[in-house]
């Protein structure tokens, strides 16, 4: 369950809505921020890999008090940057 008790409007990261980069009425892009564990679930990686990706600046994270929030758009960008696996056809 996504915690929405912080001042950033956060859509459910597991919705199938594909509209990326939503803007509000003032033309300001809204960040899709979720708590750390929800970001790991969305990205399909564990916390060790998440901290590694944050350290390498492959995904973006923000601190709010004691909570670490992960930007879902940065996870989407990371996944898009992964190399495609080419299968070798057996002849």
């Amino acid at each position: 369950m996504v915690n929405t008790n912080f001042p950033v409007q956060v859509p459910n990261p597991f919705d199938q809505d594909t509209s990326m980069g939503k803007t509000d009425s003032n033309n300001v892009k809204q960040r899709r921020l979720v708590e750390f564990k929800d970001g790991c679930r969305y990205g399909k990686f564990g916390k060790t890999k998440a901290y590694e990706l944050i350290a390498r600046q492959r995904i973006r994270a923000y601190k709010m008090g004691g909570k670490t929030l992960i930007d879902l758009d940065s996870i989407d960008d990371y996944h898009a940057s992964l190399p495609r696996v080419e299968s070798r056809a057996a002849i």
Side-chain angles (χ1 to χ4, degrees):
M1 185 166 158
V2 177
N3 181 357
T4 58
N5 293 333
F6 42 89
V8 178
Q9 183 179 356
V10 179
N12 184 342
F14 305 107
D15 283 346
Q16 295 301 316
D17 181 15
T18 57
S19 59
M20 302 296 288
K22 291 184 179 181
T23 58
D24 64 9
S25 61
N26 295 327
N27 250 358
V28 176
K29 185 176 177 185
Q30 296 177 354
R31 291 183 183 157
R32 296 188 312 147
L33 300 177
V34 295
E35 289 187 18
F36 187 83
K37 64 181 178 177
D38 294 322
C40 291
R41 189 176 314 127
Y42 179 82
K44 307 226 181 331
F45 43 70
K47 65 180 185 177
T48 302
K49 183 66 173 181
Y51 284 122
E52 176 186 317
L53 293 172
I54 292 167
R56 291 183 179 178
Q57 297 182 351
R58 299 294 305 271
I59 64 174
R60 289 182 301 279
Y62 303 90
K63 290 296 272 189
M64 186 182 75
K67 292 184 180 181
T68 301
L69 304 175
I70 295 181
D71 185 336
L72 295 181
D73 290 331
S74 69
I75 293 175
D76 292 338
D77 293 343
Y78 167 70
H79 283 159
S81 73
L82 295 174
R84 182 176 176 165
V85 176
E86 300 291 333
S87 63
R88 290 185 256 172
I91 298 177

